[in-house]
Every structure is written in structure tokens, then in C-alpha cells.
Amino acid sequence: MMDAPALDTLLAGDVPALSLAIFATELAVLELSRELAGVTPGLVIGHSFGEFAALTAAGALDLADGVRLVIARDRALHASRGTEGGMVALRVGRQRGSALVGALADRAVAVAAHNGYDQVVVSGPHESLNRLTALADVLEVEATRLRVPYPFHNRLLSEANRLFEAEVAGIRIRAPRVPMYSPVLGRYVETEQDGREILTSHLEREVGFLPALVTVRGDGFTRFLECGARAALTDLVNAALPGTRTAAPLRQRRTLDELRSAFAALSAEEAGSDALPVERAGAEVTPAEPVPAVPVPEAAPAPAGSSPPVAVAGPGLLGELRTLYASAIGYPEEVFEADVELEADLGIDSIRQTELLQRARRKYGLPEAEHVRITDYTTLASIAGLLTELGAGRVNA
């Protein structure tokens, strides 16, 4: 049996296959939750490209039409001009994120997603995003370049949006049979026209994920199941809505019995419990989609006269990293064994890993490292080795 292609391979050479894999995974997880634990969603929410799966799960789209639209969307993006660019996650709120974008005075740069109280995602041309990350570094704002093929949720994709709109015109769309809230529209999806508006505008419009969470929580929803790979959206829900119950079955590798237990724990009946919203994994914005290679953000040059990096090495470094990571993530220190896989085993996504590496680098006064990919350093032991090499000047900085 052949191994599945690596995510880097799909991102570099077969984005349509990756899109179909994401779409299929989201629907498969929902179906497994129904079959293994009898989960019945009271609401579905899609994040960015995840709205395609949400529309399908809600009954607004047939499965076959959902697949056709996924393919047509990738075809429109590939055929369009002016789609070169990417996305950067900033660890700031919406107001400050808008101020940073405004400071660039570049109409091609836009806030693409409002994910949390302290996370926005910005999209634009690569050169413009380089200037943004340099400005963020000067202001000591954490900035993480995302591995995505296009500058999603940006007017740069207007031509692709028009091409895709022509494809949507021939698809039958119905009013959802399961309640659905759209972060793109900023409201509940109630009619066929609402679904059509999502599909024909999502490439250019901002994703208001945090406002969506606040709205549905205010409407009484307190349990959330993430239906995509990993757990980026679950982490956003936990940060935004303390006291809610969440589950991310694909946060790490699980057996079928472990999946059944994860679903059952969330769907268990409780006195006064609310309906279960189902969250769809995001495709272009967060690493709820497979985003395997997030480089360490580029930074502005260090000012003249700045202090040289300090040397870090020795057995104490690993223990200090264990404490730093445990405190930031909220896990007990003992789970951070030297060789445990941070993402595969503990579910710490690439963006979070990059933020923690940056925090450790600043803690020891170490320089930025160019051309370093966080996915090459997947354990605490390997990160300790990287920091040691940075301190010794053996990494290109």
C-alpha cells in the first residue's frame, strides 16, 4: 500500500488534491461522530473554506455538488491573474491589526480573518507581507507566515471570485436543514440566497470567526466539536469562550475506540445541556488545515550596538523549555518528554510552535534564524539543539 503524499508535496504541487482531502476529512469526522456516538449537531459553523463542508453538512448542498464546487474553486484560482501572495497571522486584536495594516498604506493588504481576541490574519502580496512582518517585529508583535497558496479573503482574488461565481450559478442550493452560522456573512444562514452569497463572496470577504463564536455562545451553544484535522479552531474556542466544552478528535493520532470515547464524552447528556455546534476546520486561515511548514517570521535587522546572543546549552535547557511550553499550553510538564512529537502527539499546531520558539529565542537573547522551518524541529530535544546552535552562531542568522 502506498503512503499518503506529504503535506508539503500537496501544497507545492497539488493544491486541488489537498482541498478535496480537507473537505472529505471534515465530512468524514462528522459522519464518524454520528455513527460511533450518536452525535447530532444543533448548529454547524464553517471557517473560511470550511463553509463548503458546513453547507454540505447542513443539507444546503448535495455531496456531489460540494465536490464539484471544491474542484471549480481551485480551477478558478489557478486560472486567475494577480493571485500571487500569502497570509500572516498576527498576535493582536482586530483594532490593532487594522492599525498595522493601515500603517502600510497598501490597498492590496487586508485583514482576512478575525480569529480571536489576540489573533488576526492578514493577506496580501508577498512583498507587502514582508514589510508587515518587519513592522510587526519592530513593534514586538508576534507574526507568523502561513503556508497557503493564495492571499485569501482579499480583493486580489476578485477575478477568481468572478470565475467561480459562474460555476456556482449552475449549482442547486437549498435552505439549510440544520441550523448554520456563517462567519463570512456574519449571520445565520436561512435561505438559498444566503448559501449562494457565501460561495460567491468568500474569496474576498473577511472571516469574522470570533464574532461568530460570541454570537452562538450568546444563543446558548456550549459544546463544540471540531471536524477537521488537528485542533486550531478548538484552541480558538477555548481561548474565546471559557467554560465551554470542546473536542478535537483529530488533535492527535487515535484508534477507533479512542475516537468513540472522544465523541461520547462530548455528546453525553447532562442536565440543562445545550445543543451541540459542530465546527468545521478552516482551510486557508489557521492550521486547522494541514499547514506543515511555517517558517520562523522574518525580522528587521537588529539595531547597531545591540547585545550579542548568549550561549545556551547543557541539560538545564531542556528542563527550562519543558517549563516554558507547559506554562504556555496548559499541559502538565511531565507530558513534554524530550522526544515527544509536539504536533502529532500533543496537538500543538505550527503557529503555536513558532510563537513558543520565538518566546524561547527572546528569553535567551538569541538572533532570528533565516530559512528555518518549524516542522524540521518537532520535539523539545530538537528545539533545544536549534537554540544551542543559534547561541553558538552555527545557524544562518
Side-chain angles (χ1 to χ4, degrees):
M1 183 175 62
M2 295 180 61
D3 292 335
L7 295 176
D8 272 330
T9 301
L10 292 177
L11 276 168
D14 200 348
V15 172
L18 178 59
S19 298
L20 285 170
I22 292 169
F23 178 77
T25 298
E26 293 164 352
L27 294 176
V29 172
L30 177 57
E31 187 60 30
L32 280 172
S33 73
R34 287 171 170 156
E35 291 186 6
L36 297 179
V39 171
T40 302
L43 174 75
V44 293
I45 303 176
H47 187 295
S48 187
F49 172 57
E51 298 230 32
F52 284 57
L55 284 165
T56 305
L61 289 173
D62 289 336
L63 177 59
D65 285 336
V67 171
R68 290 189 188 98
L69 287 176
V70 171
I71 295 171
R73 175 179 180 270
D74 282 304
R75 187 186 302 123
L77 286 163
H78 183 72
S80 301
R81 296 165 296 178
T83 58
E84 295 80 10
M87 307 182 84
V88 170
L90 299 175
R91 197 170 182 80
V92 294
R94 179 65 172 80
Q95 184 174 359
R96 193 176 183 196
S98 296
L100 284 169
V101 169
L104 294 179
D106 186 340
R107 290 176 57 82
V109 179
V111 174
H114 183 195
N115 282 341
Y117 295 110
D118 61 354
Q119 189 192 111
V120 297
V121 177
V122 175
S123 63
H126 293 301
E127 182 178 347
S128 300
L129 295 182
N130 289 340
R131 293 194 293 118
L132 176 66
T133 55
L135 174 62
D137 187 74
V138 170
L139 298 175
E140 297 186 345
V141 171
E142 291 183 0
T144 303
R145 201 69 166 261
L146 305 183
R147 278 295 303 275
V148 293
Y150 302 104
F152 292 106
H153 308 294
N154 189 303
R155 70 184 71 186
L156 292 175
L157 300 186
S158 59
E159 181 180 344
N161 207 52
R162 287 194 297 273
L163 292 174
F164 182 61
E165 187 174 357
E167 299 283 349
V168 175
I171 296 293
R172 182 189 178 193
I173 303 172
R174 295 172 292 274
R177 294 194 296 268
V178 175
M180 175 178 171
Y181 192 97
S182 168
V184 165
L185 299 185
R187 64 178 187 269
Y188 283 93
V189 181
E190 298 178 340
T191 67
E192 171 269 337
Q193 186 54 41
D194 288 341
R196 198 169 295 277
E197 184 178 353
I198 292 169
L199 294 168
T200 57
S201 66
H202 78 284
L203 288 174
E204 297 184 69
R205 289 170 68 166
E206 179 181 339
V207 175
F209 190 58
L210 176 61
L213 292 180
V214 172
T215 297
V216 301
R217 178 63 186 88
D219 290 339
F221 294 99
T222 60
R223 291 185 287 167
F224 295 80
L225 171 67
E226 183 165 350
C227 289
R230 305 177 183 174
L233 294 184
T234 296
D235 293 340
L236 292 175
V237 174
N238 289 334
L241 305 177
T244 54
R245 293 174 57 192
T246 59
L250 299 188
R251 179 186 287 272
Q252 59 194 50
R253 299 185 184 96
R254 295 180 187 269
T255 65
L256 195 61
D257 285 340
E258 288 171 338
L259 281 175
R260 183 181 289 107
S261 297
F263 292 135
L266 191 64
S267 63
E269 289 293 331
E270 292 183 347
S273 63
D274 299 297
L276 175 68
V278 177
E279 305 237 348
R280 293 279 156 195
E284 296 91 10
V285 177
T286 71
E289 77 160 306
V291 182
V294 180
V296 176
E298 298 175 2
S306 59
S307 300
V310 299
V312 291
L317 175 59
L318 193 59
E320 291 176 2
L321 287 176
R322 183 178 292 114
T323 299
L324 186 153
Y325 276 59
S327 175
I329 301 299
Y331 291 174
E333 287 192 24
E334 54 266 26
V335 306
F336 288 95
E337 298 177 359
D339 295 322
V340 70
E341 292 285 333
L342 295 175
E343 182 161 12
D345 296 327
L346 300 182
I348 304 173
D349 63 63
S350 300
I351 288 181
R352 194 71 173 122
Q353 287 185 52
T354 301
E355 292 172 353
L356 290 169
L357 177 59
Q358 293 288 73
R359 189 179 302 181
R361 180 188 61 78
R362 289 193 295 269
K363 172 182 173 68
Y364 296 109
L366 299 173
E368 285 276 11
E370 296 179 356
H371 311 302
V372 168
R373 297 183 354 151
I374 194 64
T375 48
D376 291 334
Y377 301 90
T378 60
T379 66
L380 278 190
S382 63
I383 290 169
L386 171 62
L387 294 175
T388 301
E389 292 181 353
L390 279 172
R394 293 198 297 269
V395 174
N396 181 26

